[in-house]
Amino acid sequence: MSQEAGTIDKIQVVSGYQSCSLGMLPPRMPDRADPQVPLDASLGEIRYGRIGSVYFYDRNSDAAVGMVEIELSIQCLSEGHCRVEAFGIGDGFQSCSANGQDAPLIIQLCRRDGTVVAESKWSYSRVLCGHVEALTHKEDIPLASEEFESIELGVIPSTKGTAYTCAMPLGT
């Protein structure tokens, strides 16, 4: 990844498929952080899960940019109205920077057999080079109660995107 003065290198990256089971919120414990999503657990029934990491890799299979400690939730707010929320820590200590417009993540909420019930596009803010960023997502979606009840899996499918080498000038 060469860098000439005044140019920004863009590279193509791809993430791997990641998934987790969705269930009840974990109980509070003294040595574990409380769940970051949903923001207000009192608003309705919840399905919750965690994914360890999602990284985008370059053509040499080197981690370019990614996210760790991802938490997903879907909450039934009322009949036909649900909220998808996500939280993750952006890892800017790799070789690139990216954002959800150039390297989007899709959150799929699925039945046990893998059938997708609902999707939400996570357009996260820029993961800056040399920084750790808290990244959040919230989207209200139309979803019938019986569909909500069938959700057991959270999936972030493999996706392609563009990342920017960390040698780029600040503020771009």
Side-chain angles (χ1 to χ4, degrees):
M1 290 185 244
S2 67
Q3 180 71 34
E4 294 178 24
T7 65
I8 298 172
D9 286 344
K10 290 198 278 188
I11 64 167
Q12 296 303 303
V13 292
V14 64
S15 70
Y17 171 97
Q18 297 292 337
S19 66
C20 65
S21 294
L22 297 175
M24 297 174 67
L25 284 172
R28 295 189 79 179
M29 290 181 59
D31 64 341
R32 180 179 62 207
D34 289 339
Q36 300 296 306
V37 294
L39 291 177
D40 186 348
S42 70
L43 295 179
E45 189 176 351
I46 300 162
R47 301 282 185 273
Y48 170 87
R50 291 183 183 196
I51 293 176
S53 66
V54 172
Y55 277 90
F56 285 91
Y57 294 89
D58 66 17
R59 64 179 175 198
N60 297 319
S61 298
D62 292 327
V65 66
M67 204 179 295
V68 298
E69 302 298 327
I70 299 162
E71 298 180 37
L72 304 175
S73 74
I74 183 165
Q75 187 172 28
C76 187
L77 302 175
S78 63
E79 176 55 44
H81 184 210
C82 292
R83 178 171 291 155
V84 177
E85 292 184 65
F87 173 86
I89 304 295
D91 175 4
F93 286 97
Q94 303 305 317
S95 61
C96 292
S97 173
N99 63 47
Q101 287 72 42
D102 298 323
L105 293 178
I106 303 298
I107 300 167
Q108 296 179 331
L109 302 160
C110 306
R111 293 187 183 104
R112 179 180 294 193
D113 67 2
T115 302
V116 177
V117 175
E119 283 189 344
S120 181
K121 182 178 177 182
W122 188 355
S123 295
Y124 54 91
S125 60
R126 182 167 297 283
V127 177
L128 299 172
C129 295
H131 293 269
V132 173
E133 307 285 339
L135 305 171
T136 61
H137 170 70
K138 179 169 70 171
E139 180 182 9
D140 290 352
I141 60 171
L143 190 67
S145 295
E146 59 272 3
E147 293 293 324
F148 171 83
E149 292 296 330
S150 73
I151 293 172
E152 295 188 27
L153 300 171
V155 173
I156 298 178
S158 176
T159 187
K160 294 179 181 178
T162 303
Y164 302 88
T165 58
C166 283
M168 67 187 216
L170 292 176
T172 59

